[in-house]
C-alpha cells in the first residue's frame, strides 16, 4: 500500500497535490512519500518481530539522503554495495554498525573504509575476496566480520536480468562448497565468521522461492552455527511489489478484493518465520524495492503528440536517462494523467526525446487523449529510478521531492547546465 491517490480527479502524494509540485518545481520530477517509506519498513519489521530481524534497506534502489534519513530514523540499517553508499549512509545519520556490504568486486579502499567505520558485516562472494578482506583487516589491526553469500541454486522465477541465485549467475559461493569454505576461513586471523547469507533475485512475487531457499539453507545454517558460532542468517531482499494496477494497490479495498494477494509483509512472514524460527539466529533482510518502489513516482509533461497512420506517440520530457527500467528490463509502469482526462482511450506509445528506439515507456497502452502541456505520473518509480539515472544526451538530472504529510522537502535540486560540465575541461 502507499499514499498516492486521487482526490476530486487530481493525483496526490499524502497531503500534497502532484500538479502543484510539477508547477512549482518543474518536470521531470521524482516525488517520494515519507509516510509510505516508513510504513513499508515498519510493517515488514513487525511481521518478522519474532525473528529478531534487522532490516537493511538496499539503498541502491533509492539512495537520496532525505530518503535514507527517513528510514534511518525509523530504525533501518542499510545494505550497501560501494564505498559511495557507505558515505551516503554516514551523511544521512545512519549507523555503520547496521550496514552489510554486498558485491562481487569490493576494492581495497572500499574494504578499508568499511573496516574503519565498523560495519556489521561483509557479505563475501569468493575465496579471493575473503583473503583480500583478511589481508586488509590484518594491516589495519582489525578483525573483519563476514558472512559468505551462498548461491543456493534456486530459480527465483523472475526476469533473467534480476535473477541472482543460480549457478549461471556471477553471485555467491556454490552451496556445496560452503562447509569447507567456513572451515578454511576460520583459520584466518583477520576474519570473524559472523553469519551466512543469500540473495536469490529481485521482484519475486510469490513466497515459494523464498521458502524453498530458506528450507535448503536451514541445515547448512545450523551446521555453521554449531561449528563456527555464527550469529545471523541473511535472507537477502527481492520482495516484489505491485506495478499494475499500482494506483488501486494503494487502497485497502483493492487488497481485500484479491483472492491470491500479492506478496505482503504478512504472507512473506507466514512463509518464512516457521522455517527460520528453529534456527535461533538473528535474521537480516535486505529489502530495497519493497520499501521504496511504490513510495515514489516520476512526473513528466507532454511535449508533443505525434500521430501517424500507424501510431499515436506521446512524447514526454522524461526519458530513459531518468527512468531506465522499461528500456533495461522491459518493465511496466502505470501511467496516470495528473488530472483526470475524459475521452475514448487510444493505444499510445509514450516515449522520451532521446535518440534511441529503446527510449519508450510503453507501447500501444490504452490512454486517454493527451495533449501538449498535460502532465502524467509514472507510478512505482521509487526504486531503481533516480539511482539508475544518467546524463545521457546531456540531460540534467531531475529534482527529487520528499513529501511528509503537508511538508515538502526538496531532497535534491534539479541539475543545471553548469552541473553537466562540472569537472570537465
Ligand atoms: C539488489 C540487492 C538487494 C535488493 O533487492 P530488491 O529486489 O530491491 O529488494 C538486496 N540484496 C542484495 C545483495 C542486492 O544485490
Amino acid at each position: 500500500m502507499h499514499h498516492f491517490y486521487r482526490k476530486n480527479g487530481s493525483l496526490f502524494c499524502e497531503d500534497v497535490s502532484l500538479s502543484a509540485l510539477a508547477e512549482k518545481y518543474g518536470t521531470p520530477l521524482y516525488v517520494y512519500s515519507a509516510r509510505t517509506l516508513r510504513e513499508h519498513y515498519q510493517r515488514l519489521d513487525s511481521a518478522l518481530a519474532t525473528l529478531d530481524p534487522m532490516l537493511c534497506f538496499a539503498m541502491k534502489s533509492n539512495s537520496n539522503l532525505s530518503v535514507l534519513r527517513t528510514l534511518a530514523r525509523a530504525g533501518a540499517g542499510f545494505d550497501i554495495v560501494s564505498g559511495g553508499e557507505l558515505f551516503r549512509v554516514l551523511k544521512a545519520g545512519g549507523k555503520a554498525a547496521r550496514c552489510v556490504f554486498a558485491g562481487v568486486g569490493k576494492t581495497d579502499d572500499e574494504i578499508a573504509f568499511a573496516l574503519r567505520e565498523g560495519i556489521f558485516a561483509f557479505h563475501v562472494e569468493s575465496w579471493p575476496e575473503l583473503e583480500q578482506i583478511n589481508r586488509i583487516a590484518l594491516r589495519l589491526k582489525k578483525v573483519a566480520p563476514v558472512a559468505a553469500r551462498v548461491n543456493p541454486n534456486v530459480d527465483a522465477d523472475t526476469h533473467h536480468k534480476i535473477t541472482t541465485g543460480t549457478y549461471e549467475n556471477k553471485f555467491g559461493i556454490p552451496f556445496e562448497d560452503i562447509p569447507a569454505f567456513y572451515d578454511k576461513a576460520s583459520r584466518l586471523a583477520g576474519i570473524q565468521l559472523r553469519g551466512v547469507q543469500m540473495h536469490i533475485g529481485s521482484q519475486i512475487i510469490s513466497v515459494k522461492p523464498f521458502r524453498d531457499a530458506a528450507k535448503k539453507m536451514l541445515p547448512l545454517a545450523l551446521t555453521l552455527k554449531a561449528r563456527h558460532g555464527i550469529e545471523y542468517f541473511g535472507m537477502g531482499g527481492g520482495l516484489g511489489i505491485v506495478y499494475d494496477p499500482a494506483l488501486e494497490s494503494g487502497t485497502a479495498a483493492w487488497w481485500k478484493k484479491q483472492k491470491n494477494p500479492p506478496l505482503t509483509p504478512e504472507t512473506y512472514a507466514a512463509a518464512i518465520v516457521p522455517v527460520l524460527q528453529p534456527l535461533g539466529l538473528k535474521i537480516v533482510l535486505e529489502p530495497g524495492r519493497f520499501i521504496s518502489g511504490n513510495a515514489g513516482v516520476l512526473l513528466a509533461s507532454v511535449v508533443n503528440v505525434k500521430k501517424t497512420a500507424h501510431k499515436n506517440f506521446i512524447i514526454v520530457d522524461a526519458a530513459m536517462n531518468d527512468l531506465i527500467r522499461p528500456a533495461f528490463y522491459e518493465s511496466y509502469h502505470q501511467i496516470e494523467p495528473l488530472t483526470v482526462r475524459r475521452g475514448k482511450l487510444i493505444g499510445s506509445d509514450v516515449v522520451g526525446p532521446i535518440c534511441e528506439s529503446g527510449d519508450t515507456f510503453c507501447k500501444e497502452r490504452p490512454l486517454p487523449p493527451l495533449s501538449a502541456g498535460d502532465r502524467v505520473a509514472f507510478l512505482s518509480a521509487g526504486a531503481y529510478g533516480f539511482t539508475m539515472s544518467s546524463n545521457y544526451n546531456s540531460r540534467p538530472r531531475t529534482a527529487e521531492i520528499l513529501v511528509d504529510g503537508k511538508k515538502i522537502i526538496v531532497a535534491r535540486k534539479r541539475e543545471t547546465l553548469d552541473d553537466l560540465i562540472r569537472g570537465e575541461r
Side-chain angles (χ1 to χ4, degrees), residues 58 60 79 102 149 199 202-203 237-239 286-289 384:
K60 70 176 191 279
D79 175 64
R149 172 168 176 177
H199 171 69
S202 196
Q203 184 55 12
L239 291 81
E286 305 149 11
R289 186 192 316 267
Y384 308 105

Side-chain angles (χ1 to χ4, degrees), residues 97-145:
R98 291 175 73 74
C99 285
V100 290
F101 190 170
V104 296
K106 305 171 187 81
T107 66
D108 287 7
D109 285 349
E110 288 176 320
I111 292 168
F113 179 28
L115 276 170
R116 283 198 200 95
E117 294 298 333
I119 63 164
F120 184 79
F122 292 88
H123 289 165
V124 174
E125 308 228 13
S126 67
W127 183 259
E129 184 195 333
L130 190 72
E131 287 185 318
Q132 181 194 12
I133 294 173
N134 181 55
R135 177 167 41 80
I136 296 164
L138 292 176
R139 194 180 73 211
L140 298 177
K141 301 196 166 42
K142 304 244 183 215
V143 177

Side-chain angles (χ1 to χ4, degrees), residues 356-370:
E356 302 270 350
S357 293
D359 187 23
T360 297
F361 292 108
C362 65
K363 289 194 159 156
E364 294 298 323
R365 179 92 54 91
L367 290 174
L370 291 167

